[in-house]
Amino acid sequence: MQLHDIWFVLIAVLWIGYFFLEGFDFGIGVLTKLLARDRAERRVLINTIGPVWDGNEVWLLTAGGATFAAFPDWYATLFSGFYLPLLMILVCLIVRGVAFEYRHKRTEDRWQRNWEHAIFWTSLLPAFLWGVAFANIVHGVAIDRQKNYVGSFWGLLNPYALLGGLVTLTLFTFHGAVFAALKTVGDIRTRARAAALRLGLLTAVLALAFLTWTQAHSGTGWSLAALVIAVLALAGALVANQLAREGWAFILSGLTIVAAVAMLFLALFPNVMPSTLDPAFSLTVTNAASSPYTLKLMTIVAAVFTPLVLLYQGWTYWVFRKRIGVQHIPSAEV
């Protein structure tokens, strides 16, 4: 295995980590409207991710930076061709971060209600748009001989990509519901499990259709194995959720995300962006990669700092591991 292959795997791992962690973040944001019945319960849901949401987004920054350094042509084509949806995601992430910090700064109903709307929509839209983006990457887009995307924004909204967006939206919301059941106590915990069941069944239907479509279009033996793991993990998460084994349900819902995203990368390799105009125009791990010296230097840096980041983030989750409920929210802070 050459360095450019290793960095394709590392970038896949970064995206998998991002979707695993930010997935339940987005899910919690959506559930602030779908699950919480009052302002205190919305505060409980927000507090479950309050200490960790910003750390989760580090995975996105690292994935984007690694793509820029290891595969500059992939980065350039992706961010120029998908400029509008990626800009929408970026704006949502900025507004979402501000909403988390500003919601509780004032007690007026209108102030808090507006920021709660912002949290909901800026969680829902990225959860949907990430699926649209990755579905297009795997399925292929119009790339010409100069490695430029020559399609339109509307061309990205094809049936396969829209289905991919619905899958990530429902899967992340299901993951968030399982996380909410794991991190809360009382009535909201019970309702989170009930919501997880409904969301999980909907996710199963959509995900099976999308992953089967992916496998039929560009799948390999390895991607088929990942598909099977994703299906079994989702089924296991639903069973664990019904048995009130929230820890196992969360692990298995996370494994569903890991296997599903891994399947997309396995179906994509050795391409990084297939061209629908001519396979010869496709960007691959070979023709889109940086120089061997750059990849070697990046590998050394990653080997030194990645374990430190993982240890710090793991410590953060350990410190804030306890469950919370409405009884832990002072009325003055709601």
Side-chain angles (χ1 to χ4, degrees), residues 58-279:
V58 171
W59 288 76
L60 172 61
L61 299 175
T62 307
T67 304
F68 172 77
F71 299 99
D73 287 339
W74 183 12
Y75 181 93
T77 304
L78 175 64
F79 279 79
S80 59
F82 292 22
Y83 179 80
L84 185 55
L86 292 178
L87 177 62
M88 293 170 64
I89 291 172
L90 177 61
V91 171
C92 283
L93 294 180
I94 293 171
V95 174
R96 184 168 173 266
V98 173
F100 282 140
E101 298 297 332
Y102 274 64
R103 174 193 173 274
H104 65 281
K105 295 298 185 183
R106 291 166 57 178
T107 58
E108 292 90 338
D109 286 344
R110 183 177 180 182
W111 173 271
Q112 295 200 0
R113 187 170 58 251
N114 288 339
W115 287 119
E116 288 165 1
H117 287 318
I119 290 171
F120 173 76
W121 287 109
T122 57
S123 298
L124 185 149
L125 287 175
F128 175 75
L129 290 174
W130 278 127
V132 172
F134 270 82
N136 276 295
I137 292 172
V138 174
H139 198 261
V141 291
I143 300 174
D144 63 12
R145 188 185 302 274
Q146 285 72 42
K147 302 179 181 179
N148 294 321
Y149 173 71
V150 293
S152 66
F153 169 75
W154 301 110
L156 300 176
L157 303 180
N158 54 78
Y160 175 78
L162 293 175
L163 177 59
L166 291 175
V167 169
T168 52
L169 174 58
T170 55
L171 179 55
F172 291 168
T173 309
F174 167 67
H175 194 40
V178 173
F179 183 75
L182 176 65
K183 290 289 292 179
T184 59
V185 295
D187 182 56
I188 192 171
R189 176 187 176 188
T190 303
R191 285 187 281 111
R193 288 204 305 267
L197 174 62
R198 296 190 296 271
L199 289 163
L201 293 174
L202 176 59
T203 300
V205 174
L206 295 174
L208 185 60
F210 175 73
L211 296 179
T212 302
W213 191 344
T214 303
Q215 180 65 25
H217 178 263
S218 54
T220 64
W222 287 106
S223 65
L224 178 60
L227 187 158
V228 172
I229 293 172
V231 171
L232 293 177
L234 181 55
L238 287 169
V239 172
N241 177 72
Q242 287 302 98
L243 296 175
R245 301 295 298 271
E246 289 100 343
W248 280 107
F250 179 71
I251 291 171
L252 290 168
S253 68
L255 179 58
T256 304
I257 293 176
V258 169
V261 179
M263 180 196 172
L264 296 182
F265 278 95
L266 288 167
L268 182 62
F269 186 82
N271 293 318
V272 293
M273 283 192 78
S275 173
T276 56
L277 300 181
D278 188 331

